[in-house]
């Protein structure tokens, strides 16, 4: 027994040495396998890039997918290539790449959300709005949830699907901890305007109420509320509502001034309505409100009274619009008095002034600077809401009456 135990003791160092050699051999094999995988990965990457350069995108995508399977970190390469294709306008290629990524089961949840988001942007770029909506709605909570909702909100506005836009904006408020009540109020105003157009009074009333809940005393909602009351044959109440616009948002009164005068006429208070608008001209004379007041003043009180009013306007807030209207009024007086020479002079002056005011008069977006002849609640250039100043720019103001 003693001899057998001695033999085992002698074998122990030999066994230990054999184990050490085996482990070194395994490490060498593992290192060779890693090297082979790296070479295979590099070869697949170069093959994919070569296929892309040779305009073989399908085969290139297959090659790059093999790279991603060998090393998950190369998923970023796919995203970069997809975004590159989209920027170049090659939307179909971008869609193929992002569809491959979105269809993989081995991606991390964050990468899967990223793929769904990028695929949604591809579909938006391609004009495939239904598929874009489906893809963007697959994005879960995480890094890409906010940009996905923002893309959905933008898409719903393009589609004029205001109900879905309200839902998206409300969800964004929770995700961003940021108010979107201004946009939500405008979406309800759009719904109210559509309802008034199709004479659905109940829907119009509810949408206006919700707009005012989102932004109390909002100018557009008050204007629409007055329109609703007129449609319901309640002009007196409409005047009360529009009086809030005159008090709180006087710069927007030109949007409702004609309807304001019609409502006053229906309750036999035309002079009172006109006097209220004339009072507003002390601060709102350089814009469309003066055009409207001038029109009603000429019809109701005649050119002589209109001239007196315009001289007063030119004294406290001179503008090219006021000067042009003064020339137009004095031309009417000259024609009535039979003064051919005066008429000719005023016609020439009026022609120059109208050309100047037509060229300069523009509404300007405070966000992107887009200029337009008419007022928009949503800028057609940058799509921002309430970015347009309600006051029309006219270039330099004039110093006073010269005729």
């Amino acid at each position: 027994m003693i001899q057998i135990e001695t033999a085992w003791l002698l074998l122990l160092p030999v066994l230990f040495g054999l184990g050490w050699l085996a482990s070194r051999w395994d490490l060498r094999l593992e290192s060779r396998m890693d090297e082979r995988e790296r070479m295979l990965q590099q070869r697949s990457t170069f093959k994919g890039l070569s296929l892309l350069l040779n305009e073989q995108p399908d085969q290139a995508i297959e090659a790059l997918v093999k790279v991603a399977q060998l090393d998950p970190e190369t998923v970023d390469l796919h995203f970069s290539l997809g975004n590159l294709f989209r920027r170049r306008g090659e939307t179909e290629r971008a869609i193929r790449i992002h569809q491959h990524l979105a269809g993989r089961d081995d991606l991390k949840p964050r990468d899967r959300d990223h793929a769904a988001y990028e695929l949604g942007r591809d579909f938006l770029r391609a004009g495939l709005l239904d598929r874009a909506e489906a893809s963007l709605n697959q994005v879960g909570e995480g890094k890409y949830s906010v940009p996905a909702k923002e893309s959905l909100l933008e898409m719903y506005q393009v589609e004029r699907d205001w109900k879905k836009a309200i839902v998206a904006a409300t969800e964004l408020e929770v995700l961003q901890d940021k108010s979107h009540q201004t946009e939500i109020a405008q979406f309800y105003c759009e719904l109210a305007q559509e309802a008034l157009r199709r004479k659905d009074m109940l829907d119009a009333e509810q949408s206006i109420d919700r707009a005012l809940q989102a932004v109390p005393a909002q100018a557009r909602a008050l204007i629409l509320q007055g329109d609703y009351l007129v449609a319901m044959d309640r002009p007196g109440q409409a005047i009360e509502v529009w009086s809030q616009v005159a008090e709180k948002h006087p710069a927007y009164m030109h949007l409702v001034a004609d309807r304001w005068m019609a409502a006053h006429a229906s309750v036999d208070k035309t002079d009172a309505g006109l006097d209220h608008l004339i009072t507003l001209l002390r601060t709102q004379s350089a814009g469309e409100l003066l055009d409207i007041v001038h029109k009603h003043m000429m019809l109701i009180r005649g050119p002589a009274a209109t001239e007196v009013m315009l001289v007063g306007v030119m004294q406290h807030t001179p503008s090219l619009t006021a000067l042009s209207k003064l020339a137009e009024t004095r031309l009417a007086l000259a024609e009535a008095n039979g003064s051919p020479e005066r008429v000719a002079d005023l016609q020439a002056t009026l022609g120059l002034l109208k050309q100047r005011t037509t060229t300069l008069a523009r509404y300007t977006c405070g966000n992107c600077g887009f200029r337009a002849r008419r007022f928009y609640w949503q800028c057609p250039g940058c799509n921002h809401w309430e970015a347009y100043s309600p006051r029309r720019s006219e270039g330099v103001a004039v110093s006073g009456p010269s005729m």
Side-chain angles (χ1 to χ4, degrees):
M1 291 291 296
I2 295 174
Q3 292 179 351
I4 293 174
E5 290 177 357
T6 303
W8 276 107
L9 288 172
L10 291 172
L11 282 173
L12 281 175
V14 175
L15 292 172
F16 177 80
L18 290 173
W20 180 82
L21 288 173
S23 66
R24 295 294 296 173
W25 180 258
D26 287 341
L27 287 172
R28 186 173 297 179
L29 283 176
E30 190 174 321
S31 176
R32 287 179 181 177
M33 290 177 66
D34 289 343
E35 184 66 27
R36 286 183 63 189
E37 286 183 358
R38 281 195 294 271
M39 291 177 64
L40 181 60
Q41 176 184 333
Q42 290 177 352
R43 193 176 298 118
S44 297
T45 302
F46 288 131
K47 179 182 177 183
L49 293 174
S50 175
L51 289 167
L52 282 172
L53 292 173
N54 290 323
E55 298 295 325
Q56 300 179 47
D58 293 332
Q59 295 90 328
I61 291 171
E62 291 178 6
L64 291 172
V65 167
K66 291 179 181 177
V67 178
Q69 290 172 343
L70 290 171
D71 183 0
E73 296 299 322
T74 58
V75 168
D76 292 336
L77 173 62
H78 285 63
F79 285 125
S80 298
L81 287 170
N83 293 337
L84 174 63
F85 284 146
R86 187 171 62 233
R87 284 196 299 271
R88 290 177 56 187
E90 299 180 66
T91 312
E92 290 185 6
R93 289 186 175 184
I95 289 173
R96 288 197 200 102
I97 288 178
H98 293 134
Q99 277 181 329
H100 271 286
L101 289 170
R104 284 181 54 185
D105 296 329
D106 59 332
L107 284 185
K108 298 176 182 178
R110 175 177 172 176
D111 289 332
R112 191 175 296 110
D113 287 343
H114 190 184
Y117 168 63
E118 296 295 349
L119 186 58
R121 292 180 65 195
D122 295 337
F123 287 136
L124 278 176
R125 185 70 177 269
L128 303 172
L129 301 185
D130 290 343
R131 299 180 71 178
E133 181 180 11
S135 186
L136 291 169
N137 277 324
Q138 289 178 1
V139 177
E141 297 180 2
K143 178 180 178 181
Y144 298 98
S145 60
V146 169
K149 287 296 178 187
E150 289 176 336
S151 295
L152 282 169
L153 180 57
E154 181 182 351
M155 184 187 73
Y156 293 144
Q157 292 180 73
V158 171
E159 290 186 297
R160 302 184 65 82
D161 192 334
W162 306 117
K163 291 182 179 179
K164 286 185 178 180
I166 291 167
V167 173
T170 304
E171 291 174 347
L172 267 176
E173 285 192 324
V174 177
L175 292 171
Q176 294 179 309
D177 193 22
K178 172 185 173 183
S179 175
H180 286 272
Q181 292 301 298
T182 296
E183 294 95 324
I184 290 171
Q186 288 290 347
F187 300 155
Y188 277 120
C189 285
E190 291 287 340
L191 289 172
Q193 197 160 296
E194 291 174 358
L196 286 171
R197 196 175 294 120
R198 64 176 185 268
K199 302 188 185 305
D200 185 342
M201 295 300 132
L202 178 60
D203 193 7
E205 183 183 24
Q206 291 175 346
S207 296
I208 291 166
D209 288 344
R210 287 169 182 163
L212 290 171
Q213 288 172 9
V215 180
Q218 192 226 30
R220 188 183 184 187
L222 290 174
I223 291 171
L224 288 169
Q225 190 172 48
D227 291 336
Y228 162 78
L229 291 167
V230 168
M232 297 295 289
D233 198 23
R234 291 146 63 183
Q237 290 178 289
I239 291 170
E240 291 178 8
V241 170
W242 287 334
S243 294
Q244 295 182 54
V245 179
E247 178 186 351
K248 299 174 182 178
H249 312 283
Y252 290 95
M253 271 302 288
H254 65 90
L255 298 174
V256 73
D258 277 323
R259 305 198 292 284
W260 164 276
M261 289 302 300
H264 276 83
S266 66
V267 295
D268 296 323
K269 294 183 178 180
T270 302
D271 283 331
L274 184 57
D275 287 339
H276 200 133
L277 294 182
I278 292 171
T279 302
L280 289 176
L281 288 180
R282 289 192 170 274
T283 56
Q284 315 298 323
S285 63
E288 286 185 316
L289 183 61
L290 181 59
D291 297 343
I292 296 169
V293 172
H294 176 265
K295 176 182 66 177
H296 289 285
M297 189 79 174
M298 290 286 282
L299 289 171
I300 297 168
R301 298 179 183 173
T306 304
E307 181 187 26
V308 174
M309 181 268 293
L310 288 170
V311 169
V313 169
M314 286 294 295
Q315 287 173 347
H316 59 71
T317 47
S319 66
L320 287 174
T321 298
L323 187 59
S324 177
K325 292 302 174 185
L326 183 57
E328 187 177 332
T329 303
R330 287 178 171 170
L331 175 59
L333 286 170
E335 289 173 341
N337 294 331
S339 305
E341 292 183 1
R342 180 69 169 156
V343 167
D345 290 342
L346 287 168
Q347 284 177 337
T349 302
L350 184 59
L352 290 172
L353 285 170
K354 282 188 174 180
Q355 182 180 4
R356 184 69 172 165
T357 53
T358 301
T359 303
L360 292 177
R362 292 288 189 277
Y363 294 101
T364 305
C365 174
N367 183 64
C368 70
F370 188 90
R371 304 184 73 204
R373 291 182 183 274
R374 55 164 290 190
F375 175 81
Y376 291 96
W377 289 105
Q378 183 185 29
C379 174
C382 64
N383 294 324
H384 276 63
W385 290 94
E386 298 185 28
Y388 267 97
S389 168
R391 291 186 173 91
R392 201 170 57 187
S393 61
E394 296 188 341
V396 293
V398 295
S399 58
S402 59
M403 292 173 290

